Amino acid sequence: MADDALDEGAGDPLAWLQPGHRAAPAEALRRIQALCVGWPDLHAAMFVVLATHQELPRDMLAAAIKQFRPDLDAYSREDVVGLLTAVWNGGKSGFDAVLRTRANAPKKAAGGLSWVKE
């Protein structure tokens, strides 16, 4: 019975977490917003977004997360990509170390994705 629910896809509320699932951008953005709002800790929010949206490029994730996390306003999109990499590779201690270095680094003007609000 559980296998049937997975095969249906649309009937499975967790189908969006399955490998190979391609979400519409608006759908992914809604989920990222809910996760960012639901997790008050920045590290936890970034970790859960990254873990549940691995099919999206990190620069896209960074831009989306920046939209919903006011605590990232002072950081460039490239800084947030670095934080995502630190979350994935270095855990909490790696994230904290990168966050400290990014807080003191000069900010660069972001370019490339003109449709992304920074």
Side-chain angles (χ1 to χ4, degrees):
M1 191 78 130
D3 290 336
D4 293 337
L6 288 176
D7 291 337
E8 290 178 29
D12 182 7
L14 297 178
W16 66 277
L17 290 171
Q18 298 300 317
H21 176 76
R22 297 285 180 219
E27 178 187 339
L29 203 55
R30 278 192 305 274
R31 283 196 308 266
I32 291 169
Q33 179 180 20
L35 293 170
C36 285
V37 170
W39 296 85
D41 177 67
L42 179 61
H43 173 265
M46 292 182 76
F47 182 82
V48 74
V49 168
L50 184 56
T52 57
H53 293 83
Q54 292 184 37
E55 76 281 359
L56 295 176
R58 288 192 181 163
D59 62 330
M60 295 273 215
L61 285 178
I65 292 169
K66 275 185 60 66
Q67 289 184 35
F68 305 118
R69 292 299 302 215
D71 45 354
L72 291 174
D73 285 348
Y75 299 92
S76 70
R77 186 175 61 240
E78 291 79 17
D79 289 339
V80 178
V81 169
L83 288 170
L84 286 168
T85 301
V87 164
W88 198 249
N89 295 332
K92 178 78 168 124
S93 62
F95 171 80
D96 288 339
V98 171
L99 190 63
R100 281 191 303 273
T101 63
R102 295 294 192 259
N104 298 323
K107 303 299 175 234
K108 295 182 238 169
L113 299 176
S114 60
W115 55 271
V116 176
K117 176 184 155 194
E118 293 221 51

